[in-house]
Amino acid sequence: MSGSRREVRATQAFFEELDSQLGDERGANGEPSSYDFQSHELFSIVERFAEDWDRLPELIAGRTDYRVLVGAGMLVNGFVVTGQLASDRAVELVAIEIDLGWQL
């Protein structure tokens, strides 16, 4: 299936991690909310996993069922998203870590 587009879905755990890092409301200094991140960053993350799964680095050497995307964001300095290949060959986004060093 190398080079083909994959279905991508985010897990509940992914959204819980996102909410715990960004929260429901924008910060007093303009820090983005989880909704802001979903509206401005998540689409491009999903697209990268859908189009580039086979080219993304393995999370663990030799484990092709886990891949990571490290990127810079429009609203955050950076992020690391972990995807796992599900039994139906779709990619599930299972974890996210956001660089919370806000640029003010």
Side-chain angles (χ1 to χ4, degrees):
M1 208 169 186
S2 181
S4 65
R5 182 176 177 80
R6 294 185 185 271
E7 177 184 343
V8 178
R9 55 185 174 249
T11 63
Q12 183 66 31
F14 174 87
F15 286 114
E16 289 170 1
E17 283 188 26
L18 180 61
D19 289 343
S20 74
Q21 293 176 64
L22 296 180
D24 294 335
E25 302 287 329
R26 287 190 183 137
N29 295 316
E31 299 92 347
S33 67
S34 59
Y35 175 79
D36 294 330
F37 187 89
Q38 290 176 54
S39 299
H40 293 91
E41 309 281 10
L42 191 54
F43 179 75
S44 62
I45 292 168
V46 167
E47 284 300 300
R48 284 291 308 277
F49 275 99
E51 294 288 332
D52 297 333
W53 173 261
D54 294 319
R55 292 183 291 278
L56 293 173
E58 296 174 353
L59 177 63
I60 303 164
R63 291 285 311 264
T64 60
D65 55 333
Y66 283 93
R67 306 282 178 147
V68 293
L69 173 63
V70 178
M74 293 183 295
L75 302 177
V76 297
N77 285 338
F79 54 82
V80 177
V81 177
T82 302
Q84 177 183 12
L85 197 59
S87 61
D88 65 356
R89 309 302 291 165
V91 174
E92 294 183 335
L93 304 182
V94 296
I96 183 168
E97 185 175 339
I98 297 173
D99 179 350
L100 297 175
W102 310 114
Q103 296 176 341
L104 300 177

